[in-house]
Amino acid sequence: MKKAPFVVTAALLSLGLATGAWAQTTTSPAGDTKAKRDAGTSSSSEPERTTWSPQATALESSKLIGMKIRSTDGKDVGQVDQVIVNQSDGKITHVILSKGGVLGMGGEKLVLMWPDVKIQHDNDNPDRWVGVVDQAKVDRAPKYEARKEGESLPAASPSTTPSTSGRPAKKR
């Protein structure tokens, strides 16, 4: 009677060993570059890449989005919802501050000028960053309204562009 659990255990163990041996002998197609990378060889068409890390003074965008914003007297104001980047020079121009709400819903979104936000290490957690801004700037900040892409006039509408002659534009 005591042999039954031993036999079942032995059968399961041998089945597991057989499955493991089968998995080790499975081959992949010759042109499979993933298999070559996994095996430690590289394809001649894929160059070796060097590694790059940002400087210690650099701040990654993932650290900016969601970063807490506090007033100069230490009160929580909100968090960074978005950053606005100037397309022509690639520099951040504005920060969209999410203020209030629950889990990002129902809060007010305000626009702050990027130079008005001073970035520093969080005193409570040195691994995090915090933005500090003068409360008066927050109080005067305009509400944010996202640009509506793809929104245009219907094709059949008349031109609303004034003509250079001062007369209405002619219809075609």
Side-chain angles (χ1 to χ4, degrees), residues 99-102 104-108:
K99 181 179 176 182
V102 178
M105 301 296 287
E108 185 176 31

Side-chain angles (χ1 to χ4, degrees), residues 56-132:
T57 57
L59 185 60
E60 296 165 332
S61 63
S62 63
K63 306 273 190 223
L64 284 175
I65 305 300
M67 178 179 67
K68 288 184 179 183
I69 301 289
R70 294 188 179 137
S71 63
T72 51
D73 59 355
K75 293 180 183 173
D76 284 339
V77 175
Q79 65 184 22
V80 174
D81 184 64
Q82 297 182 52
V83 293
I84 306 297
V85 177
N86 183 332
Q87 194 172 5
S88 64
D89 64 9
K91 293 182 180 179
I92 296 174
T93 59
H94 297 83
V95 172
I96 308 305
L97 170 71
S98 178
K99 181 179 176 182
V102 178
L103 299 173
M105 301 296 287
E108 185 176 31
K109 295 194 183 199
L110 304 174
V111 181
L112 297 172
M113 298 289 293
W114 176 244
D116 292 340
V117 180
K118 306 301 177 212
I119 308 292
Q120 62 187 37
H121 282 285
D122 188 347
N123 291 334
D124 300 332
N125 186 348
D127 293 336
R128 289 195 179 156
W129 295 88
V130 65
V132 178

Side-chain angles (χ1 to χ4, degrees), residues 2-17:
K2 292 185 178 182
K3 289 185 179 181
F6 175 73
V7 172
V8 171
T9 304
L12 289 174
L13 182 61
S14 64
L15 181 62
L17 290 174

Side-chain angles (χ1 to χ4, degrees), residues 127-166:
D127 293 336
R128 289 195 179 156
W129 295 88
V130 65
V132 178
V133 66
D134 185 14
Q135 183 65 46
K137 303 255 183 193
V138 175
D139 294 340
R140 290 190 309 266
K143 288 184 179 181
Y144 174 68
E145 183 177 320
R147 180 180 55 220
K148 295 176 179 50
E149 296 196 30
E151 195 173 83
S152 62
L153 294 173
S157 67
S159 173
T160 57
T161 307
S163 67
T164 56
S165 66

